[in-house]
Amino acid sequence: WARSAHHRAARQAPHPAAIMTTIDPNMDLGASSRAHFTSRTRSSVPASSLQTGLRHDAFGNSDSVVDNDGDYLETEQKFTAQDEQKEIAGMSIKDLVDVNKDLLGLSAGMSNLSMLDGPESKMGSGPSTDGAEAKAAAVAASLLALERDLAALPAPSTAAYRRALAECPEQVSKERKLAHIDYENGNTALAAQRLAFYWQVRLDTFGSNRCYLPMTLAGAMKDEAIPFASQRIWQLMPNVDQSGRAMVCLFVHNRDFSKYSAEQEIRFVFYLLETLCNDSDVRKHGFVVLINAQGIGRRHFSRKLKRLLEIIHSTMPIRVRAVHICYPSKVSYYLVLPVVKRFQSREMRLRVKVHHGSTTKV
């Protein structure tokens, strides 16, 4: 009876993804109408599961008990359908246009002109002398302001950054500093906070023994990157999309915490994004994440992986333009996605799109 009641509610409640169709004219509005389940009670777990080593979720699915903490999903705060409706209702016309462009790949809506891009002369024959001098002066002023803002931050928050200046100055280059300034649209105060946070997260992720090594296969990722890459979980596509954006694929169903730790995956993603940051074109256009969410269960998740959001959204001077989730399982759609959205920024939540339907349609 309880399950039937859930199903009746499912036919009446709006699908969270259907809300996003208001900004995507190519999506079928009638295709989405399901319940938004956010919690379960202990009584919903069959007693037999405690004896057989199987656990059942709110949808009647069962998973073998493995070494992970995926059960935390039901107890986490979630970004509900009502939250999403309020957020979308507050969007301006410009917001709607920019989000749609990023989701459809029509242009890199949030990109800026990098401070490293030199001005062209009016004749198009090369950089203008006056323009080049003005550009150099602007760069020097921005770098000076950045250092001033870094000095104003509390000493503990910049300790990792100061150590990097001493141990690996080549990794705190002018280009990398300018990348953080560009990311924050010229706001050096925010760029200083982001740069200091980057080094603190890098230290926390790799430890003091590996943090200040070059982020290469022979440096910080020695003996770790290639074995993890063979798991085929995170993959960088060799080409870019029509807007010049890099494409990163995530195959969650290949995740197996019995073979490696969540910390190893976090380090690999940090390394992967670091390689993207080294490409000025990718920094300008950003990247897109394509997620194959078929067959996902609780065993594919760990509370520790929340840190991936911190690394992707708050650390690297490179933007995620859109996230496309294909073939979501019930666990990934009703439990994982609402939890993830709670930790995302508004800018990023609006750029997440779920794709249902046949393999041909998707």
Side-chain angles (χ1 to χ4, degrees):
W1 176 86
R3 188 171 297 163
S4 298
H6 280 313
H7 289 168
R8 286 196 298 273
R11 289 191 291 272
Q12 299 170 3
H15 192 299
I19 301 171
M20 289 304 297
T21 60
T22 58
I23 62 173
D24 184 357
N26 297 320
M27 195 171 183
D28 182 8
L29 287 173
S32 304
S33 179
R34 308 182 188 196
H36 186 74
F37 296 105
T38 60
S39 63
R40 68 172 181 175
T41 61
R42 176 62 64 180
S43 60
S44 68
V45 182
S48 59
S49 68
L50 302 178
Q51 301 170 358
T52 62
L54 295 177
R55 58 188 171 204
H56 292 73
D57 59 24
F59 315 102
N61 299 323
S62 64
D63 274 333
S64 298
V65 176
V66 293
D67 186 19
N68 68 76
D69 58 358
D71 281 333
Y72 81 90
L73 292 168
E74 273 107 345
T75 62
E76 288 285 332
Q77 286 190 329
K78 298 172 178 65
F79 194 78
T80 66
Q82 291 72 30
D83 294 329
E84 196 154 12
Q85 287 174 330
K86 291 179 181 178
E87 189 166 77
I88 292 176
M91 295 177 68
S92 66
I93 297 299
K94 182 179 184 302
D95 289 335
L96 291 169
V97 172
D98 287 344
V99 168
N100 213 32
K101 284 182 177 180
D102 281 335
L103 286 172
L104 299 178
L106 300 179
S107 68
M110 296 180 288
S111 65
N112 325 309
L113 178 64
S114 170
M115 296 189 71
L116 297 177
D117 293 334
E120 296 297 315
S121 68
K122 294 181 180 180
M123 299 299 293
S125 59
S128 164
T129 302
D130 292 340
E133 291 177 352
K135 191 72 172 180
V139 167
S142 293
L143 291 173
L144 183 62
L146 178 68
E147 292 300 332
R148 185 167 55 246
D149 291 326
L150 282 165
L153 294 175
S157 67
T158 59
Y161 167 74
R162 299 298 175 190
R163 184 175 172 183
L165 285 175
E167 296 195 18
C168 55
E170 73 284 352
Q171 296 189 58
V172 196
S173 64
K174 180 180 76 172
E175 182 178 2
R176 178 51 67 92
K177 292 177 181 178
L178 290 174
H180 284 276
I181 295 174
D182 286 339
Y183 184 94
E184 298 294 354
N185 298 312
N187 188 322
T188 56
L190 293 179
Q193 295 174 20
R194 193 177 190 89
L195 181 58
F197 188 63
Y198 164 87
W199 279 103
Q200 185 57 56
V201 170
R202 180 162 165 168
L203 177 60
D204 293 340
T205 302
F206 288 89
S208 58
N209 292 334
R210 299 164 64 184
C211 171
Y212 304 104
L213 295 175
M215 197 56 59
T216 62
L217 296 178
M221 291 300 292
K222 184 178 181 180
D223 301 327
E224 189 168 49
I226 294 178
F228 187 89
S230 67
Q231 302 297 320
R232 297 177 63 82
I233 302 169
W234 292 87
Q235 293 184 310
L236 175 62
M237 301 298 288
N239 55 315
V240 297
D241 70 3
Q242 62 184 1
S243 296
R245 306 177 300 184
M247 294 182 288
V248 177
C249 295
L250 170 58
F251 300 93
V252 185
H253 59 274
N254 287 338
R255 190 176 276 156
D256 186 350
F257 291 117
S258 67
K259 296 181 179 179
Y260 58 86
S261 67
E263 289 85 356
Q264 285 178 292
E265 180 170 349
I266 292 169
R267 287 193 291 271
F268 182 83
V269 173
F270 193 106
Y271 162 73
L272 181 66
L273 296 180
E274 187 74 20
T275 62
L276 292 179
C277 288
N278 291 331
D279 188 319
S280 60
D281 287 335
V282 175
R283 285 203 308 271
K284 183 186 301 184
H285 299 297
F287 68 100
V288 177
V289 180
L290 309 175
I291 302 177
N292 184 336
Q294 285 181 304
I296 294 176
R298 285 183 181 79
R299 65 183 180 275
H300 297 111
F301 296 94
S302 168
R303 189 187 301 267
K304 297 176 181 178
L305 292 181
K306 286 182 186 178
R307 197 169 194 189
L308 289 177
L309 295 176
E310 181 180 71
I311 292 173
I312 293 172
H313 300 304
S314 305
T315 306
M316 297 291 179
I318 183 173
R319 280 191 169 86
V320 186
R321 298 299 184 184
V323 176
H324 294 276
I325 304 175
C326 304
Y327 314 115
S329 66
K330 291 178 179 179
V331 169
S332 63
Y333 190 85
Y334 293 110
L335 293 180
V336 179
L337 186 56
V339 171
V340 170
K341 284 190 173 184
R342 175 63 66 182
F343 293 94
Q344 287 180 319
S345 65
R346 172 182 178 273
E347 181 182 75
M348 197 61 253
R349 279 194 299 266
L350 294 173
R351 288 167 170 78
V352 175
K353 182 170 181 178
V354 179
H355 300 268
H356 302 276
S358 66
T359 54
T360 301
K361 179 180 177 181
V362 173

